[in-house]
């Protein structure tokens, strides 16, 4: 059997929160054996049941039931009441994620509406300054500058509907040290 | 006056509309649903006998529109309206509009609802009924606020008189903070409730939120069905509720029920209501407010007392008085409810509207799932993000807690982020297991380092994700065209080139 | 002797294995499932912590194999075995094998199980304990049978002494039928139970099947948890059960509980057991048999008494005696259970094994679904065709009945034929609503003209079928590759030629 | 809108129990209107909701929820706890079903095993004579001749596994009047 490679990114709040993990994965149908390798780790499991919407996986002698659903390049999992989303990402994304921290994308943290745009392109901001305010389900959320920065681009005006993860502004870091 | 109710319009949506419809169906009463354009496919519409669209998605153009709802009731020939909770449930104008239209409003009459809707008036009414309120003062002028605080004793709490749900409450810890904080509090109150009147109350800490379920006949008689504890809150939003309270003994229960009944009877209150109290560290209880509706957390009372509160509401609305079964009801065991919100605990509990792609619901002894979704669906941006409640009953508190945890293990809400894992974390917490908490505990736990740490094995999750991505086409799930094809899944990353590369295995 | 049970092997399958696993999970006890090759994907395996295959599909090569089950327990380090019902649950040899292997058998000890397993011996034991049995005689020689019938008074019933579940019972209405009928009865008994001993009993008619739930500590103490009525049977197979019985008043209940406890205590019985009685037209009760296991219909007792019988079985097996919660348990309200079988009522109740393509389960107050299937799956040909039980609790009998009907309205088991519609028909029947039935009533109802008439509107069904055939591809359901394609469904008859022809519409 | 024709057979016990119904069916997406015509009847309904696995249909002012699942040419429905199966049948089947009653197919009424073959090809049977016995789930079911007949064909031997609906024998009617 040849191994396959799968690049997974754990998704939290609609945003890929870690570096994508490059997973090497081998499945031997005959004895249900699975191995997963990432970074320097290798772990063995068995896939006992793989039925519609549900997996039963065995690791270290104990079976665990995992509910799943796949939509396009996203997989949603639930086990023990805890829920996860993993996205399959392109090879290029692995590199992109390792880019410098010279910029920050301000993304919509939820599907909703922009209720306030607090800055203009070219403005210089201090860390913690509000960039925009987004509202959904009667709750407002302020999006703040993660470091001292200059507003490079701004996309979206007050009253505009925005989707989860949509980039609303791009900030360029201002070196203060 | 006795009257038979044959058809009820449910002026609500989501899980509570579905729950009310179940009782109506069981009673043989025809069910009319109303829905906004965003809810045309919602479960609460699908379980009804008739349904009417009442406008676009925004609540103030649909579920908050008194005219449209009254018109829907007229058009369908409904003889009564159940308001659920939220929306128009505590709006006295709606009660008046129902009366004018000759419709039975399933709830209290206009006057007590109006009186109790304002915190300052409610305090006075409670005091007149002999109920202890939190030491405080109502309608204090700006210049007198600092002195009022000193008189009551700091810390104090400023509350919008017209408010509810904890919105706009501001803590003041010393006299010199009062000016700035009170100005902020008035601004918030004005913006939120169009009324900047404040009340000043002593901040009772540590305190627990205990509420008494009452049921009145509208003639001055009433019964109490014990308490619920709802101390586990986040930003004044209840997260986990239970019945009975682990800290209320028979003596405290008797005192609290007596207070609640005194208030309820003084108002000649009709139907279900909830009197909320703060329980202080010495077992003393202070009146907070009275909610004139069915409460979100009513199932824990239903399971422990063995009653159907919606059926009882209808019996009272039909003029049959308080059902004997309610008078005879005795508590048994313990029930715990956890509210499932479409929100992301790891991102500051931001709402997470969106599609729900698949739902797996738990089953088994003592489990109840009251949800707005039982299969795939949509959580919209326009409404409250609570999508379901999971409730467990057990012979004792720890059985109920363990049952609820077991049930969460069998729950999956896939495609959307919810607080399910957070609820599991709280239910597993030893402080919850030992009932060691007060109303500000949960916020403290959330702030702890590592509170959201994930006990699940990374290798297991990676393997599951890999299996799901590698899965071949199978019979598709419920209610869609089923394909029996055993061909390779065209979407499978294992069967095509592109971003996927086959690496050489060890054996090669 | 006290002993802690940490890991339990469930020697069963289907809904009862799933139900037992739930309690074990809640108690923090590790769960070992056993499964036949046919059950590799079954729910009872999926909810376990560990699982072992015990052989091919036929039960006598898997679930009835004592050796394989003991071996599985040894290999997994289980310290106890729960037998469920059926299979090995009432096999004294299995109890002996568990003892030899040092495994705790969660149930009574070998001796009472052996004694009660034979109807003739059970009669004698009951009589010795002062319990009234149906007038009759055990182990009568062929030549004396006609005279025995005359002595008892015709009509009489011939029963295989070693039998169970009503199999091989033959009614004899006059002495001249005795010779022929008894020969037939002996043949059946020999073939089915390898033992042609018969007992002759008076045929009590009209009679109702009432059984008492008992719970013993193994030391001679026992408690009773009221009765269940299981009169609605078809071919001695229970269909609908309830607690309490609508015809048992407090005086009858006391007498029956006293009889059942007398027998249970005389046997120093341990754990859950059920003493079955016939209740005659004058309120007199006759002992039938004692079942030494958890009963299929145990959920109605659990819901009315507020107990977990599986948890109590484990407490007794751990040597902790009868839980105080069982001693204190008081009945509240009413519960009704309906057994859902994969069988076709309109085709003589023939079994209908096959795939289940989709399941929609009901939710709501007072509803419990104990099933072997919660989503798609397979009903195999090798095992009992009962796939689920739907149970409703209500404050009174009619509330429970209406709740159960409401729940059936929200149930769909698609792809397989079940008796669901038949159960709805029975629950709707006025005779059921008024509790006017006896143990032979259901067979009579089934034989009535029009009993299976369908109230549903043909146009509605045709329209639904047409919509389903015409449905375009949508997001597929749970757990399969989801396609967001909005293209026309390639299977849709509306978009292709062939057996489908587009006709000219009226407007043309 | 042009009407479509759909030939439906209600399936009971794995067997098409009626003559297939030729249904003319018209769906106007705009106002959810549906008409179904069969024999000389025409009825109007509205399709209010058509979501995954569930339909909400309105007829005579009342909504009814119908659960459904489709597999190939079969549709399974459930409403009010009652369950149905309809098969889409070919035009030829409509005619085939209207054939003479000179023959009877003895079909397996369930998936199971033949435990007894009671006749041989060429045997003359009386109405009610047992042809075969099939067993499933520990229950035996005797398949009997529906009229006086001669055994024309016989397919299956003792111990053989049979599928629901499989034709096990074909009987030719013997005219007795």
């Amino acid at each position: 059997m040849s191994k396959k490679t799968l690049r997974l990114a754990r998704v939290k709040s609609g945003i890929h929160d870690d570096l994508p993990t490059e997973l090497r994965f081998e499945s031997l149908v005959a004895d249900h054996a699975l191995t997963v390798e990432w970074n320097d780790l290798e772990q063995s499991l068995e896939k006992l049941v793989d039925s519609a919407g549900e997996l039963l996986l065995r690791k270290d002698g104990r079976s665990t039931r995992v509910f799943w659903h796949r939509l396009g390049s996203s997989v949603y999992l639930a086990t023990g009441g805890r829920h996860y989303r993993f996205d399959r990402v392109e090879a290029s994304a692995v590199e992109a994620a390792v880019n410098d921290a010279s910029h920050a994308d301000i993304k919509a943290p939820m599907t909703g509406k922009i209720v306030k745009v607090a800055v203009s392109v070219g403005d210089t901001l201090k860390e913690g300054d509000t960039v925009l305010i987004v509202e959904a389900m009667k709750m407002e959320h302020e999006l703040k500058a993660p470091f001292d920065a200059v507003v490079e681009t701004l996309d979206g005006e007050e009253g505009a509907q925005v989707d989860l993860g949509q980039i609303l502004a791009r900030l360029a870091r201002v070196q203060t040290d | 006056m006795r009257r038979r109710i044959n058809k009820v319009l449910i002026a609500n949506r989501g899980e509570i509309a579905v729950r009310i419809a179940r009782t109506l169906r069981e009673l043989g009463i025809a069910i009319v649903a109303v829905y906004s354009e965003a809810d045309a496919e919602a479960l609460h519409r699908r379980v009804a006998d008739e349904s009417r669209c009442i406008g676009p998605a925004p609540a103030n153009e649909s579920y908050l529109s008194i005219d449209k709802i009254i018109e829907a009731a007229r058009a369908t020939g409904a003889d009564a309206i159940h308001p659920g909770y939220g929306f128009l449930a505590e709006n006295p104008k709606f009660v008046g509009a129902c009366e004018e239209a000759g419709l039975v409003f399933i709830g209290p009459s206009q006057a007590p609802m109006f009186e109790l809707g304002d915190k300052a008036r409610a305090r006075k009414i409670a005091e007149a009924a002999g109920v202890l309120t939190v030491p405080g003062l109502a309608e204090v002028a700006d210049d007198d606020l600092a002195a009022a605080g000193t008189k009551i004793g700091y810390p104090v709490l400023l509350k919008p008189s017209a408010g509810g749900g904890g919105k706009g409450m501001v803590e003041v810890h010393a006299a010199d903070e009062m000016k700035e904080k009170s100005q902020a509090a008035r601004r918030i109150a004005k913006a939120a409730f169009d009324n900047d009147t404040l009340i000043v109350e002593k901040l009772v800490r540590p305190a627990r939120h205990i509420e008494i379920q009452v049921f009145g006949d509208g003639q001055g008689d009433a019964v109490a069905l014990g308490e619920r504890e709802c101390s586990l809150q986040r930003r004044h939003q209840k997260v986990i509720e239970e019945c009975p309270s682990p800290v209320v003994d028979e003596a405290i229960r008797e005192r609290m029920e007596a207070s609640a009944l005194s208030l309820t009877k003084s108002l000649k209150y009709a139907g279900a209501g909830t009197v909320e109290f703060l329980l202080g560290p010495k077992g003393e209880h202070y009146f907070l407010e009275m909610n004139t509706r069915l409460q979100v957390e009513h199932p824990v009372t239903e399971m422990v007392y063995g009653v159907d509160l919606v059926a009882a509401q209808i019996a009272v609305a039909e003029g049959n008085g308080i059902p004997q079964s309610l008078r005879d009801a005795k508590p048994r065991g313990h029930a715990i409810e956890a509210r499932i919100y479409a929100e992301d605990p790891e991102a500051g509990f931001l709402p997470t509207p969106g599609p729900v792609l698949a739902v797996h619901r738990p089953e088994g002894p003592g489990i109840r799932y009251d949800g707005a979704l039982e299969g795939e669906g949509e959580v919209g941006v326009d409404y409250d993000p609570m999508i379901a409640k999971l409730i467990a009953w057990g012979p004792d508190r720890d059985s109920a807690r363990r049952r609820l945890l077991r049930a969460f293990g069998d729950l999956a809400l896939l495609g959307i982020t919810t607080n399910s894992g957070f609820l599991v974390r709280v239910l597993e917490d030893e402080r919850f297991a030992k009932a060691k908490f007060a109303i500000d505990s949960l916020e403290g736990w959330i702030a702890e380092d590592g509170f959201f740490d994930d006990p699940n094995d990374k290798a297991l999750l990676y393997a599951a994700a890999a299996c799901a991505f590698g899965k071949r086409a199978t019979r598709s799930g419920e209610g869609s065209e089923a394909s029996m094809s055993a061909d390779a899944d065209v979407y499978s990353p294992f069967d095509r080139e592109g971003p996927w590369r086959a690496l050489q295995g060890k054996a090669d």
Side-chain angles (χ1 to χ4, degrees), chain A, chain B:
Chain A
M1 288 290 296
S2 66
K3 294 191 184 180
K4 313 283 182 174
T5 298
L6 174 63
R7 282 176 210 84
L8 286 182
R10 169 89 193 274
V11 182
K12 288 187 183 181
S13 321
I15 292 162
H16 293 174
D17 81 324
D18 318 313
L19 291 189
T21 302
E22 186 159 301
L23 203 68
R24 281 173 305 284
F25 174 71
E26 184 173 31
S27 175
L28 300 165
V29 174
D31 62 354
H32 311 296
L34 276 177
T35 57
V36 285
E37 289 176 44
W38 74 101
N39 302 340
D40 294 327
L41 290 164
E42 175 173 332
Q43 305 254 311
S44 297
L45 298 93
E46 288 156 278
K47 182 169 73 175
L48 304 179
V49 178
D50 184 1
S51 65
E54 198 176 323
L55 285 158
L56 187 68
L57 298 175
R58 180 155 61 195
K59 183 165 179 286
D60 306 328
R62 193 175 190 283
S63 307
T64 304
R65 192 179 184 196
V66 184
F67 298 104
W68 66 275
H69 191 91
R70 175 171 158 207
L71 182 68
S73 62
S74 296
V75 156
Y76 299 88
L77 304 177
T79 186
R82 291 182 164 89
H83 290 63
Y84 305 88
R85 175 176 156 197
F86 288 97
D87 280 5
R88 199 174 69 204
V89 294
E90 305 288 318
S92 58
V94 181
E95 288 118 52
V98 197
N99 66 7
D100 62 354
S102 66
H103 286 82
D105 288 335
I106 303 297
K107 296 179 185 175
M110 53 191 174
T111 299
K113 198 171 68 174
I114 298 175
V115 293
K116 188 175 171 80
V117 179
V119 300
S120 305
V121 171
D123 281 4
T124 301
L125 310 179
K126 287 277 165 202
E127 178 184 333
D129 282 358
T130 298
V131 184
L132 302 106
I133 302 178
V134 175
E135 183 197 85
M137 290 166 159
K138 315 275 170 225
M139 259 190 69
E140 292 189 359
H141 188 68
E142 296 187 23
L143 306 180
K144 297 180 174 178
F147 37 63
D148 296 355
V150 170
V151 181
E152 222 174 63
T153 66
L154 202 52
D155 181 26
E157 51 199 37
E158 283 173 22
Q161 289 290 328
V162 294
D163 288 330
L164 175 68
Q166 183 180 328
I167 295 173
L168 306 178
R170 188 168 164 87
L171 310 184
R173 184 193 282 266
V174 174
Q175 293 303 0
T176 45
D177 48 322
Chain B
M1 186 185 69
R2 297 226 180 180
R3 52 199 169 193
R4 172 100 177 98
I5 291 175
N6 296 304
K7 187 185 277 196
V8 171
L9 182 143
I10 302 168
N12 216 302
R13 66 179 300 281
E15 68 87 17
I16 192 63
V18 174
R19 186 262 167 274
I20 293 164
R22 289 190 170 124
T23 289
L24 296 176
R25 171 85 61 222
E26 289 161 15
L27 294 174
I29 296 172
I31 305 157
V32 181
V34 292
Y35 62 96
S36 74
E37 287 162 15
D39 279 340
E41 304 216 334
L43 183 60
H44 81 273
R45 182 186 186 199
R46 278 144 46 206
V47 298
D49 297 309
E50 291 176 68
S51 56
R52 306 288 285 198
C53 183
I54 49 165
N60 52 15
E61 297 175 56
S62 50
Y63 299 105
L64 287 171
S65 167
I66 294 177
D67 290 350
K68 286 175 182 170
I69 287 169
I70 298 286
E71 171 52 28
R74 276 214 182 97
T76 53
D79 37 34
I81 293 188
H82 196 302
Y85 55 70
F87 295 126
L88 297 170
E90 295 179 277
N91 185 331
K93 284 182 197 156
F94 184 51
V95 180
C98 289
E99 272 168 32
E100 269 172 46
L103 295 161
V104 176
F105 177 82
I106 299 172
S109 53
Q110 205 176 6
M113 186 183 285
F114 179 78
E115 294 301 322
L116 293 166
D118 180 277
K119 282 194 163 49
R121 281 199 305 272
R123 269 183 77 94
K124 286 180 194 156
I125 293 165
E127 281 162 9
V131 178
L132 190 64
T133 59
V134 179
L137 295 161
E139 293 178 49
V140 186
D142 275 355
D143 290 346
D144 303 330
L145 274 169
T150 306
K151 185 177 166 198
I152 293 164
Y154 287 95
V156 298
L157 196 61
L158 300 177
K159 291 170 149 186
S161 189
K167 194 157 186 173
M169 301 206 311
V170 173
E171 292 183 14
V172 185
H173 292 264
D176 60 4
E177 293 176 12
M178 183 58 93
K179 190 169 180 188
E180 189 191 350
K181 295 248 171 128
S182 64
Q183 282 168 358
R186 285 209 202 273
R187 267 200 310 277
I188 298 167
K190 179 72 184 169
F193 309 107
D194 196 26
N195 179 341
D196 72 355
T197 312
L198 297 178
I199 62 177
V200 195
E201 279 182 3
K202 182 158 183 63
L203 188 66
V204 180
R205 290 294 182 275
R208 298 178 74 126
H209 176 113
I210 310 285
E211 57 188 36
I212 301 288
Q213 175 70 52
V214 293
F215 218 93
D217 68 353
Q219 313 292 319
D221 194 13
V223 296
L225 292 163
E227 80 284 0
R228 291 183 288 261
E229 167 145 20
C230 319
S231 297
L232 287 172
Q233 306 182 355
R234 201 190 64 83
R235 296 198 182 177
H236 307 290
Q237 192 181 57
K238 296 167 184 170
V239 175
I240 292 177
E241 301 108 336
E242 57 189 304
C243 173
S245 163
V247 296
V248 170
D249 61 22
E250 200 46 59
I252 297 177
R253 183 173 302 120
E254 271 177 30
R255 290 201 302 271
M256 293 185 78
E257 286 191 344
S259 289
L261 286 173
S262 167
L263 173 61
T264 308
K265 289 176 180 177
S266 79
L267 289 161
K268 294 202 194 324
Y269 188 87
T274 296
V275 187
E276 296 191 339
F277 295 97
L278 275 187
L279 186 68
K282 290 169 196 138
E284 74 282 18
H285 65 276
Y286 304 105
F287 171 79
L288 281 177
E289 60 179 314
M290 179 164 178
N291 296 320
T292 58
R293 54 169 154 85
L294 192 68
Q295 210 81 342
V296 174
E297 58 271 25
H298 75 278
V300 293
T301 298
E302 292 190 327
M303 292 180 95
V304 168
Y305 282 80
V307 296
D308 181 335
L309 290 174
V310 175
Q313 286 183 302
I314 289 163
V316 168
E318 285 187 321
N320 296 323
I322 298 167
Q324 190 58 37
S325 56
L326 243 61
R327 295 186 187 275
D328 297 340
K330 294 272 177 297
R332 184 168 83 183
H334 200 100
I336 305 176
E337 169 178 289
R339 298 191 188 188
I340 301 169
Y341 290 98
E343 65 182 16
D344 190 342
E346 294 178 79
F349 295 87
L350 281 176
T352 51
V356 179
L357 303 172
V359 179
H360 295 258
R361 285 173 279 125
E363 294 288 353
I367 299 300
R368 173 170 164 186
Y369 171 93
D370 276 22
L373 286 168
E374 296 185 351
E376 52 186 285
E378 186 82 21
V379 179
V381 297
D382 296 286
Y383 313 111
D384 187 90
M386 194 186 77
I387 52 178
K389 305 176 310 202
L390 194 55
I391 312 117
W393 179 92
D396 52 63
R397 185 172 189 268
D398 206 51
S399 306
R401 185 184 71 88
R402 286 181 277 108
R403 276 190 172 169
L404 191 51
L405 274 168
R406 196 273 301 159
F408 267 104
D410 294 341
L411 175 78
L413 292 158
L414 300 171
I416 196 168
T417 301
T418 73
N419 65 339
S420 164
F422 166 70
L423 293 170
V424 167
R425 176 67 187 82
V426 175
L427 293 169
E428 284 173 342
D429 197 284
E430 208 190 11
R431 291 164 291 190
F432 179 74
K434 293 186 172 163
K436 297 210 173 305
F437 51 76
I439 51 171
D440 39 13
S441 297
L442 187 60
E443 306 253 17
W445 300 352
I446 291 167
E448 288 170 8
D449 272 352
F451 192 76
F452 292 104
D453 282 0
D454 186 350
N456 279 324
D457 186 317
K458 249 185 179 175
L460 184 87
L461 299 175
Y462 287 155
C467 289
F469 278 119
K471 187 144 172 69
R472 279 157 196 273
T474 50
R475 233 179 12 238
S476 73
E478 53 193 41
S480 63
E481 169 64 36
S483 153
M484 292 299 279
S485 162
D487 291 345
D489 173 5
V490 294
Y491 294 92
S492 168
F494 299 108
D495 297 298
R496 53 170 188 163
E497 296 301 312
W500 291 80
R501 290 176 284 128
L503 292 187
Q504 292 305 96
K506 274 186 201 162
D508 290 25

